[in-house]
Amino acid sequence: MTYIVYGAAGSGSAPVEAALTLIGAPYRVIEAVTWEGEAERDKVAPVNPMRQIPALVTPEGETITESAAILIWLAEQHPEAALGPDPGDPGRAQFLRWMTFIPASIYSMYWIRDAPARLGGDDPEAQATILARTAERIADCWAKMESQIVPDRFLLGPEPTVLDLYVAVASRWTPHRKRFHVVAPRMGAVMRRVDALPELQDFWAERFPFAGNYVS
Ligand SMILES: N[C@@H](CCC(=O)N[C@@H](CS)C(=O)NCC(=O)O)C(=O)O
């Protein structure tokens, strides 16, 4: 009954791996550092024609792609872990709202940022503009989320959900936590709490260490 995660350290597979760690479900990772080139992307092709991580293969052999779908599905499959409000719960609407906001408005920017030539062509100036503007867009999206969400100890209540894991990872990418704490100070305080969860300390150390730009 082992899950298979196609992923890479510090990537969008990290919240999926963190969720599986909190759930206590056995899983193994097939490492594919997709932003490092065609050969790495090809490793994911058998399960995801987009050649992107994360992809999850369930113990029954079904493949799920799209980080938000995987996280929401895992929370539903493992209610004992209490990693998200169930359908019908009063907190469900905001949970779905923000679980969708992250990939639609923020995570999608990294398809451009990881290879700015995809939109900017070979022009270095166009690429630099793309990098600067996408960083601003990401910071602005975090600020908008901050203006709408009223965190408790965690983003949606007194206990962590998969949304906390998702934001904890995405907020460490460019423009990094340094900027995130400025534009989203209340969510920033929550993220330090997520980073400090005792049951995830070994996991963070192995899969997304708090070093360099990736500080808490
Ligand atoms: N919409 C996808 C985006 C996944 C994604 O962008 N993953 C990155 C790594 S963090 C990737 O594999 N990029 C390689 C590429 O897009 O070519 C999701 O939410 O899972």
Side-chain angles (χ1 to χ4, degrees):
M1 294 299 281
T2 298
Y3 286 100
I4 300 171
V5 180
Y6 285 75
S11 78
S13 71
V16 172
E17 297 168 41
L20 287 165
T21 301
L22 291 180
I23 287 164
Y27 69 94
R28 69 183 172 87
V29 178
I30 296 180
E31 202 75 10
V33 189
T34 46
W35 58 91
E36 285 190 352
E38 297 300 320
E40 291 294 306
R41 285 197 271 279
D42 281 345
K43 289 184 186 171
V44 197
V47 291
N48 185 2
M50 295 295 282
R51 300 190 305 161
Q52 291 181 325
I53 54 168
L56 180 76
V57 182
T58 71
E60 292 74 29
E62 182 178 0
T63 297
I64 312 173
T65 64
E66 299 305 317
S67 49
I70 296 168
L71 289 165
I72 294 167
W73 184 85
L74 279 173
E76 284 176 12
Q77 289 295 304
H78 298 279
E80 71 286 356
L83 287 176
D86 294 327
D89 186 289
R92 182 76 173 178
Q94 296 307 306
F95 174 67
L96 292 179
R97 176 186 182 190
W98 298 117
M99 286 300 294
T100 310
F101 179 79
I102 304 298
S105 298
I106 294 174
Y107 197 171
S108 55
M109 291 291 118
Y110 295 92
W111 181 80
I112 306 164
R113 291 190 58 80
D114 286 350
R118 279 170 166 161
L119 294 188
D122 292 335
D123 178 357
E125 264 185 48
Q127 292 189 18
T129 302
I130 285 170
L131 289 176
R133 289 185 182 171
T134 51
E136 287 310 306
R137 169 70 178 169
I138 292 163
D140 188 51
C141 287
W142 288 130
K144 296 285 192 302
M145 184 172 172
E146 169 86 2
S147 75
Q148 294 287 296
I149 201 164
V150 183
D152 193 324
R153 270 177 56 73
F154 293 95
L155 290 176
L156 297 173
E159 300 298 333
T161 70
V162 288
L163 178 67
D164 293 282
L165 304 176
Y166 209 10
V167 175
V169 171
S171 62
R172 292 172 69 193
W173 300 334
T174 309
H176 305 293
R177 283 286 181 83
K178 200 172 171 200
R179 185 83 184 274
F180 183 78
H181 285 298
V182 173
V183 297
R186 291 173 307 133
M187 292 205 297
V190 171
M191 288 311 115
R192 289 196 168 119
R193 208 165 279 134
V194 179
D195 297 344
L197 284 172
E199 48 287 44
L200 288 178
Q201 289 315 292
D202 291 347
F203 172 79
W204 294 131
E206 190 187 334
R207 296 299 281 166
F208 204 174
F210 300 109
N213 280 329
Y214 302 113
V215 293
S216 177

